[in-house]
């Protein structure tokens, strides 16, 4: 299928199949909605069936296209079953967004080795597992439209460390195992981008900055204010502000971009 080269139309994802891991989470919902609003049929995956069904119903109420797959990305068998489902139902996968993550706060002193292992498994190993498992589906997408796009959701904390002084308790701070895993995910993005570029598969990362949940800001206004002061733009991000970067990297508008990391942080890492 020949994709259009008209400027605005280049961002459309009509007819394309997307898979988002961790789709029902704070950031995952916005990412999924952005892809759906651009025309993609979005496969919403995660481990919470109730939240996924709620998001799917929201999609359908807006006239968007969605499917739900229960998926633990750290389980080889479940990822293979997801591959079988997508292959049988769609025959190809144009876009994969590796967004799944699970973990708590902490510091070097309070973190455990087990926390590092689990964080790395769900961020880095799972992204590697999904990319390799779905490779035949990506190749089918490339045969159809000329490309497939993999987007890894990293973090600004894969590049900088948190300011512990803005947290009320050390245990609430962004933990070192999270930052280490996200840094590794950014590097995995570069490796994969270089290896799969000639196959027509683009691999990029997005590093969100401060995107706290609304309830956190409401419960702790002083912490919210501290986050705002850390950015040149003087505010925290809204999940929907990630839609543009995701749709850009998923679409033909980014046809000559691979191995990059788009930072969406209000300028946090610029000063």
């Amino acid at each position: 299928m020949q994709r259009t080269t008209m400027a605005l139309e280049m961002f459309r994802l009509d007819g394309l199949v997307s898979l988002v891991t961790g789709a029902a989470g704070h950031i995952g919902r916005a990412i999924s909605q952005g892809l759906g609003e651009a025309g993609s049929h979005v496969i919403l995956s995660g481990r919470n069936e109730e939240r996924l069904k709620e998001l799917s119903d929201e999609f359908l109420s807006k006239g968007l296209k969605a499917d739900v797959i229960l998926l633990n990305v750290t389980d080889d068998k479940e990822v293979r079953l997801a591959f079988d489902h997508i292959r049988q139902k769609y025959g190809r996968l144009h876009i994969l967004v590796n967004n799944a993550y699970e973990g708590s706060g902490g510091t070097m002193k309070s973190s455990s080795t087990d926390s590092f292992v689990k964080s790395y498994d769900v961020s880095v190993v799972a992204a590697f597992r999904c990319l390799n498992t779905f490779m035949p589906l990506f190749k089918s997408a490339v045969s159809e439209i000329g490309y497939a796009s993999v987007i890894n959701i990293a973090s600004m904390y894969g590049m900088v460390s948190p300011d512990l002084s803005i947290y009320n308790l050390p245990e609430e701070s962004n933990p070192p195992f999270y930052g280490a895993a996200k840094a590794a995910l950014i590097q995995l993005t570069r490796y994969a981008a270089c290896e799969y570029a000639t196959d027509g598969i683009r691999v990029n990362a997005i590093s969100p900055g401060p995107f706290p949940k609304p309830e956190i800001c409401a419960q702790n206004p002083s912490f919210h204010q501290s986050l705002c002061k850390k950015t040149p733009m003087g505010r925290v991000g809204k999940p929907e502000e990630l839609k543009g970067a995701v749709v850009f990297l998923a679409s033909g508008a980014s046809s000559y971009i691979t191995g990059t990391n788009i930072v969406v942080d209000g300028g946090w890492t610029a000063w």
Side-chain angles (χ1 to χ4, degrees):
M1 180 172 64
Q2 181 66 40
R3 306 298 291 184
T4 181
T5 56
M6 294 294 289
L8 292 180
E9 290 299 316
M10 291 172 68
F11 292 86
R12 294 296 305 174
L13 303 175
D14 301 292
L16 305 192
V17 180
S18 307
L19 171 66
V20 180
T21 68
H26 177 55
I27 287 177
R29 293 179 68 93
I31 289 171
S32 301
Q33 289 168 349
L35 294 171
E37 289 162 0
S40 178
H41 189 123
V42 186
I43 302 170
L44 309 167
S45 74
R47 293 188 290 180
N48 189 317
E49 185 174 12
E50 183 179 349
R51 291 174 65 186
L52 289 169
K53 183 63 168 56
E54 176 191 334
L55 182 56
S56 176
D57 290 343
E58 184 179 334
F59 265 58
L60 297 177
S61 70
K62 295 179 179 179
L64 306 179
K65 301 174 183 178
D67 190 7
V68 169
I69 294 181
L70 284 178
L71 176 60
N72 177 357
V73 293
T74 66
D75 188 304
D76 281 324
K77 182 179 179 180
E78 289 195 24
V79 173
R80 288 195 299 270
L81 288 174
F83 167 81
D84 290 338
H85 172 82
I86 298 170
R87 180 183 59 183
Q88 292 171 11
K89 189 167 185 178
Y90 302 103
R92 72 270 196 246
L93 182 63
H94 304 92
I95 301 152
L96 167 65
V97 182
N98 288 309
N99 173 65
Y101 184 77
E102 181 182 18
S104 58
T107 63
M108 288 291 294
K109 294 178 181 178
S110 67
S111 298
S112 66
T113 54
D114 188 52
S115 295
F116 275 85
V117 173
K118 289 182 178 179
S119 183
Y120 192 85
D121 191 24
V122 74
S123 291
V124 186
V125 179
F128 169 79
R129 176 182 292 113
C130 289
L131 200 163
N132 278 2
T133 301
F134 298 137
M135 186 58 63
L137 298 174
F138 296 143
K139 290 184 176 179
S140 295
V142 173
S143 297
E144 180 190 7
I145 65 168
Y147 78 91
S149 175
V150 177
I151 304 169
N152 296 322
I153 304 302
S155 170
M156 67 178 184
Y157 286 130
M159 299 174 290
V160 298
S161 299
D163 179 356
L164 297 182
S165 69
I166 69 174
Y167 296 92
N168 292 330
L169 298 171
E171 293 75 19
E172 296 176 351
S173 67
N174 190 278
F177 49 83
Y178 175 87
K182 293 301 186 178
L185 184 59
I186 293 170
Q187 186 65 354
L188 178 67
T189 298
R190 299 186 182 107
Y191 268 66
C194 292
E195 184 166 338
Y196 295 122
T198 55
D199 293 315
I201 301 166
R202 295 186 286 106
V203 187
N204 292 288
I206 294 174
S207 287
F211 283 82
K213 295 179 180 179
E215 55 267 32
I216 292 177
C217 295
Q219 294 168 4
N220 195 340
S222 62
F223 175 62
H224 176 218
Q225 292 173 4
S226 295
L227 285 177
C228 291
K229 291 178 181 178
K230 294 287 291 183
T231 69
M233 294 184 72
R235 64 178 179 83
V236 296
K238 301 176 182 178
E240 56 266 29
E241 291 181 294
L242 290 168
K243 290 182 181 180
V246 170
V247 171
F248 171 62
L249 290 178
S251 72
S254 58
S255 59
Y256 199 52
I257 297 176
T258 195
T260 196
N261 177 33
I262 295 180
V263 185
V264 186
D265 68 351
W268 184 298
T269 57
W271 65 359

